């Protein structure tokens, strides 16, 4: 068929693409001369050209990761591959944990409540992967028609506490009822992001109906996601957001216009939330640390590793292996022995030889993973010969440990005592064997 005839059939709009493909095959003069493989290949090529189909897929983290790697700019996500992201999630042990604060109200530091600390420079891809494992990535189904307070991760009103002056002098009852709205933060299964800019870059979360600049109250991430800057974490007294707004008497506030009064209450709520997040983060006792950042890794771990509780997992991703090898050397056994033999003063840390405390992490490991796609056809199954280039991607893993205070003594069996015990055991076995042989001989003689 000529191209004019094909365009005429398409313009008529009669039938479907299958009719057009059938007419093209019928008009082929050398169709009977093709082999079975050539005929199948020719039919498939015409089907892809004239029979257009598409499938609507639900948005999830693996699909978004694959799309960013193949269709968009992979450098925005630090070339984080799908299989590498899964490896990071497995080693960080991110999973849903039910709240136990009601059962154990005196539990210090919310240990075991599913609190993870992260440094994410992938535009929110790491946060999305962790939130998907925690079950807080997607908003609740509207068909369920249940309030957020009945959710197992229901939020609670936070009253700021800590060394800083967090509690406002004006009690909530002194405010008008229209302005008594409180901010809420989830009890458990929270993600705390430490970022270097004034606002975190979480642009990829918009694909999951979450706007970090204006979060919807119905979305779980609005209560389970916490953000703070490095300045707020290390030096909160130097940050303007941690400075308490001017305290105004309720009588004076009542004389203001509604716009000015709302602005005053909004500033106080923002200050209360910021200081509550900073205070809770500085208390530590996180269940894990995940770092995907282009920053220098030793200073990052120097400040964040002490915020973890014992047995917490530390996972660091890097597109290249060199930063992770250097990090593994800083936590190596040789470096730990040198640190214990001649420990520097705490106020002198970090030093040139010890940029981090090597006694805080155990079993540092650097690993990688690669999932190569295969062509699966009858008689022609083999790995694909072509693929996307870029960095391989490596993962550093370690376990947080608590150094023992004071000297540790280990006593075992000395070599002389061990040889003596072996001789005694050998003599006892020989004497037992002689008794058995003698008893058998007596039985034979009696018979």
């Amino acid at each position: 068929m000529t191209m004019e005839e094909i365009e005429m059939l398409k313009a008529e709009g009669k039938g479907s693409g299958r009719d057009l493909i059938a007419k093209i095959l019928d008009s082929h003069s050398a169709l009977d001369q093709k082999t079975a493989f050539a005929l199948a290949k020719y039919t498939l090529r015409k089907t892809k050209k004239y029979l257009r189909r598409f499938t609507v897929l639900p948005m999830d983290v693996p699909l978004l990761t694959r799309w960013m790697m193949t269709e968009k700019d992979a450098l925005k996500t630090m070339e984080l591959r799908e299989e590498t992201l899964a490896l990071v999630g497995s080693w960080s042990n991110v999973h849903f944990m039910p709240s136990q604060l009601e059962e154990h109200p005196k539990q210090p530091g919310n240990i075991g409540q599913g609190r993870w600390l992260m440094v994410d420079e992938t535009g929110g891809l790491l946060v999305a992967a962790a939130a998907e494992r925690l079950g807080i990535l997607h908003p609740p189904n509207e068909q369920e028609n249940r309030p957020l307070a009945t959710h197992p991760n229901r939020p609670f009103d936070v009253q700021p506490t800590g060394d800083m002056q967090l509690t406002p002098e004006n009690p909530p009852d002194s405010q008008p009822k229209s302005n008594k709205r409180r901010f809420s933060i989830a009890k458990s299964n929270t993600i705390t992001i430490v970022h270097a800019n004034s606002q975190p870059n979480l642009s990829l979360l918009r694909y999951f109906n979450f706007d970090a600049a204006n979060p919807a109250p119905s979305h779980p991430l609005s209560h389970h996601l916490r953000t703070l800057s490095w300045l707020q974490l290390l030096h909160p007294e130097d940050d303007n957001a941690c400075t308490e707004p001017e305290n105004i008497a309720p009588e004076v506030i009542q004389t203001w216009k509604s716009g000015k009064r709302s602005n005053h209450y909004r500033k106080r709520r923002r200050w209360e939330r910021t200081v509550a997040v900073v205070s809770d983060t500085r208390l530590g006792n996180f269940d894990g640390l995940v770092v995907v950042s282009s920053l220098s890794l030793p200073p990052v771990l120097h400040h964040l590793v002490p915020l973890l509780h014992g047995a917490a997992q530390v996972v660091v991703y890097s597109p290249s292996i060199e930063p992770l090898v250097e990090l593994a050397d800083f936590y190596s056994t040789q470096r730990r022995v040198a640190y214990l033999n001649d420990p520097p003063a705490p106020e002198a840390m970090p030093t040139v030889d010890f940029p981090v405390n090597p006694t805080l992490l155990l079993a540092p490991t650097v690993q990688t993973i690669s999932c190569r796609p295969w062509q699966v056809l009858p008689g022609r199954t083999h790995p694909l010969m072509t693929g996307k280039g870029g960095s391989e991607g490596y993962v550093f893993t370690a376990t947080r440990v608590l150094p023992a205070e004071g000297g540790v003594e280990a006593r075992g069996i000395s070599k002389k005592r061990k040889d003596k015990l072996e001789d005694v055991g050998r003599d006892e076995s020989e004497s037992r064997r002689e008794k058995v042989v003698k008893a058998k001989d007596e039985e034979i003689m009696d018979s």
Side-chain angles (χ1 to χ4, degrees), residues 410-422:
R411 294 184 179 181
I413 301 176
S414 61
K415 187 175 184 303
K416 293 183 179 179
R417 179 177 173 79
K418 182 177 180 181
D419 296 340
K420 185 177 181 180
L421 292 177
E422 291 179 354

Side-chain angles (χ1 to χ4, degrees), residues 71-353:
E71 303 294 336
K72 302 294 287 186
D73 188 6
L75 295 177
K76 292 183 178 180
T77 59
M78 297 184 64
E79 300 182 281
L80 188 59
R81 301 175 185 267
E82 180 183 353
E83 60 271 14
T84 308
L85 183 60
L87 183 66
V88 170
S90 299
W91 275 106
S92 58
N93 196 24
V94 179
H95 63 284
F96 172 80
M97 299 182 68
S99 177
Q100 301 174 356
L101 290 179
E102 297 177 356
E103 301 177 2
H104 306 283
K106 296 183 179 180
Q107 192 174 20
N110 303 342
I111 297 178
Q113 299 303 310
R115 302 166 64 244
W116 276 269
L117 187 62
M118 297 185 180
V119 180
D120 184 8
E121 292 188 5
T122 63
L125 184 62
L126 178 63
V127 175
E132 188 176 47
R133 289 174 171 266
L134 293 174
I136 57 176
L137 179 59
H138 304 281
N141 195 353
E142 296 180 358
Q143 280 76 10
E144 296 179 358
N145 194 20
R146 63 179 183 180
L148 187 62
T150 61
H151 194 271
N153 293 332
R154 61 186 182 274
F156 71 105
D157 291 339
V158 174
Q159 298 293 342
T161 57
D163 298 336
M164 304 168 61
Q165 297 179 359
L166 306 180
T167 304
E169 297 181 2
N170 293 337
D173 295 338
S174 63
Q175 302 177 3
K177 294 184 178 180
S178 60
N179 291 287
K180 286 176 60 176
R181 185 180 59 182
R182 302 289 297 171
F183 64 90
S184 57
I185 301 177
K187 294 180 181 179
S188 59
N189 301 298
T190 60
I191 302 174
T192 303
I193 301 297
V194 184
H195 53 88
N197 302 319
S198 58
Q199 296 293 333
N201 180 15
L202 303 174
S203 58
L204 293 182
L205 293 181
R206 70 178 183 273
Y207 295 106
F208 304 99
N209 300 323
F210 179 77
D211 185 7
N214 187 21
S218 60
H219 201 289
L221 282 178
S222 62
H223 308 284
H224 294 264
L225 180 62
R226 310 177 181 183
T227 61
L228 74 160
S229 64
W230 284 102
L231 180 62
Q232 293 172 349
L233 177 65
L234 302 180
H235 305 285
E237 65 279 358
D238 297 336
D239 188 76
N240 295 330
C242 296
T243 304
E244 182 181 2
E246 184 181 0
N247 194 11
I248 307 298
E251 296 79 8
V252 179
I253 296 178
Q254 295 299 327
T255 61
W256 291 351
K257 294 182 179 180
S258 60
K260 185 176 181 180
R261 190 165 55 246
S262 301
N263 188 28
H264 171 74
Y265 290 131
R266 184 169 59 253
K267 287 182 179 180
R268 293 200 67 86
R269 286 195 300 269
R270 184 169 61 247
W271 165 73
E272 290 175 1
R273 179 182 178 86
T274 301
V275 178
V277 171
V278 172
S279 300
D280 184 75
T281 304
R282 290 168 65 90
L283 287 177
N285 289 326
F286 284 91
D287 295 289
L289 170 63
V290 185
V291 178
V292 182
S293 174
S294 58
L295 299 175
S296 180
L297 297 178
V300 172
L301 267 64
H302 171 71
H303 294 292
L304 298 185
V305 169
L307 299 178
L308 307 178
H309 65 68
Q313 294 296 318
V314 177
V315 182
V316 182
Y317 166 81
S318 176
S320 57
I321 194 175
E322 288 78 11
L324 301 185
V325 172
E326 181 184 20
L327 195 62
D329 175 66
F330 291 151
Y331 287 102
S332 62
T333 304
Q334 295 79 1
R335 189 86 60 161
R336 189 182 309 115
V337 172
Y339 182 88
L340 294 175
N341 292 335
D342 187 15
E347 59 274 6
M349 291 290 291
T351 62
V352 177
D353 295 332

